[in-house]
Amino acid sequence: MSKKHSPKSMLILLVAIMMMFSMAACSSGDSKKAGETTDSGKSAVKLTENDPGWKADTSPITFDWYLNFSWFPNKWGVDPTSQYITKKTGVNINFIVPAGNENEKLNTMIASGKLPDFITLGNTEDAFQRMIDGKLVLPLNELAKEYDPYFFKVSDPAKLAWYTTKDGKVYGYPNASSSPEDYKQYGNTYIGNQVFAVRKDMYEALGKPDMRTPEGFLKALQAAKEKFPDVNGQALIPLGLHEFTEKGNYSLEAYIQNFLAIPKEKDGKLYDRETDPEYVRWLKTFRKANELGLLSKDIFIDKRPQMEEKIAQGRYFAMLYQRSDFTAQLNTLYAANPEATYIAIDGPANANLDAPKLDGPGISGWTVTLISKDVKDKARAIRFLSYLNSEEGNKDLFLGEKGVTYDTIDGKDQFKPEALELLNKDRSSFDKKYGASFTFWMLMNTNITTKWNPAQVEPFKQLEDWTKGKIVSGSQFELLDPLGNSTEGIINNKIGLLRGKTLPKLLMAGSDAEFDQIWADYLAKRAEYGMDKVQAYKQAKYEENMKKLKEFIN
C-alpha cells in the first residue's frame, strides 16, 4: 500500500536535499578556499619567479602584525611612507605590541593556539621554535610554491638554507641578516655597535690618555674624577656600563671579551671565554676601580631610562656601551656643545694590544618574521612579505615616496635635504613625520640599502668610523643556546642566573683574594649545575652550523 506525502513533508525533504548539496559543495571547496585571496580567484593566477605576486591583487586588506618588542612606538598609516605602501599594495597593518612583559604576552597567545597574521620576534626567543613545534605557523617555502614563486627570487638562498628545518621547511625569514658571502661583497661597509666611548672635552683635557691597559685605564678614570668631580652640580660617573640584569651585564661579558679579542673557538672546539686569563685580568681591573671609588653605585642599579637621562646630561666620563642606544642623547649633547659629545677610542685591550674583534651582522639576523596558520589570506600574506623583502620594498621602506621623502639629486636617489636634516637631528620626530629609513624594520635588508645610505654626519660619524675594520663574521656561533624547557636549557638558565648574581659580587670584592674565592666558587657551581652538558650541546650546534655554512654557502 503506497503512502502519500503531504506538501509540508515534501518541502522539508527538498530543503534537506538542498542542504546536503550545499554542504558537499563547501566540503569539496575547503582546500581551495583556504588559499584563496579576498578577490576570489586571483590567487589561482599562474605566476613565475619573475612576477611580483603582490601586483595580482591590490584590493584593501588589513593584516594584524605582532611585534614582540614593547618599546616599538610607531603606528602604520600615520606617516607618508606607510600610506604610500598601503596605496601601492592595498595592504594596511594593525600593529600589536605588548604593553608589558613580551614573554608573558607571547606565551599567552601561544597557549591560546591562535596568533595574529604576522609575528616578528627575536631569533633567539624560545617562542620561535615553540610556534613551529605547535604547528601555529605556516612554512614560507610552501606558501611561496603555491601562491608566490617570486619569494624565491627576492630571498637569499643562503638565509633560506640557514632557517630550513630538518623536514625541509622554512618558517621564518630574518631581517638585518648578512651571510659570510655578504661579507665578501659588503664587509667594508659594515659598522659595529660596540664602542668604548669617552666625553671628548674631558678626554682631551686629560691629554688623551691611553686606556688600553689596566694601569692606563684606572689612571684615566682617577684623573677624570679628580679634574671633573661634578657635571653641572651633579657627581661625575667615571665609568658607564650596560644595566645589570638577573643574568649579567652585556658590557662585562661579550662586549669586553670582544674588545680583548678573545677567540670563540680553538682548534674546532668552542672556547669557554669566561675562563680566559685576559678576561679575568680585566674583571679584576673593574674590581680595583670599585675599590678606588671609580665605580658609582648608580651603575649597579640604574636601568636604561636612568642611564639615558645621565648620558644626556654628559655625566659619564667613559662608557663601554652600545652606540645605537644613545643616539638621541648624543644629539642633545652635540646640539648644546659639540665639544661635550662622546667619541670612540681604543679602550680595554689584551696584553698584546690586539685590535678588538667586534660582532657584526650575522646570517641569523636580528629578528625573524613568521606567518600564522590563522592568517586571513595566505596568498596576500606571502606576497606582501615578498614585496617587503624585495629591493623594491626595501627601497620604499628606506627612502619612502619619491617627491615626499626623497628625490634624485645629483644623479642619486637620496633623502630630500629637509628630511635628512630631521633624520640627523631628531629620529623620533622623523619617524612620525616621514616613516622612512626603516621606521618599519621587520624585513629590512641593510645590504640592499647601502647604496641609498646618506653620508653620516657628526656626532655619529666618528663613532661609526671607529668600528670599521674591526668587524668579524660570526654566523657559525649564532643560535647555539638550547631551548629553555630542555634539560640543557634549564641548566643554562641556572648558570645565567648564577652569573647575574656573581658579577656584582666580583666587582664589589674587597681584595683580589676575595675575588679569587668568589670566582672559584662560581666556576665550581657552574660545573655542579652541569656546565659540561651545556657545552656539549653548544658544540653539537656549532658543528651543525659549520656544516650548514659549508653545504649552502660557497
Side-chain angles (χ1 to χ4, degrees), residues 341-356:
T341 188
Y342 285 95
I343 59 171
I345 66 166
D346 294 337
N350 60 32
N352 295 326
L353 301 182
D354 294 324

Side-chain angles (χ1 to χ4, degrees), residues 328-347:
Q329 293 73 35
L330 200 61
N331 245 332
T332 300
L333 286 169
Y334 191 77
N337 180 3
E339 294 302 307
T341 188
Y342 285 95
I343 59 171
I345 66 166
D346 294 337

Side-chain angles (χ1 to χ4, degrees), residues 196-199 202-204 206-224 238-240 256 259-260 281-282 285-286 294 317-320 343-350 353:
F196 181 68
V198 293
R199 229 184 89 162
M202 294 181 182
Y203 181 69
E204 291 177 350
L206 295 176
K208 299 182 180 180
D210 187 344
M211 300 183 70
R212 293 177 297 170
T213 65
E215 298 76 21
F217 180 82
L218 293 172
K219 186 177 179 181
L221 293 185
Q222 185 72 55
L239 180 66
I256 186 66
F259 267 80
L260 302 179
R281 180 170 75 119
W282 272 93
T285 301
F286 292 123
L294 303 174
F317 165 63
M319 294 187 291
L320 185 57
I343 59 171
I345 66 166
D346 294 337
N350 60 32
L353 301 182

Side-chain angles (χ1 to χ4, degrees), residues 295-308:
L295 295 188
S296 168
K297 292 180 181 178
D298 296 27
I299 70 172
F300 293 101
I301 58 175
D302 281 350
K303 299 302 179 185
R304 180 166 170 174
Q306 290 77 40
M307 296 180 67
E308 289 177 348

Side-chain angles (χ1 to χ4, degrees), residues 534-546:
V534 175
Q535 288 177 312
Y537 177 92
K538 290 184 176 182
Q539 179 67 31
K541 289 290 290 182
Y542 166 71
E543 291 173 6
E544 183 182 317
N545 285 353
M546 290 295 291

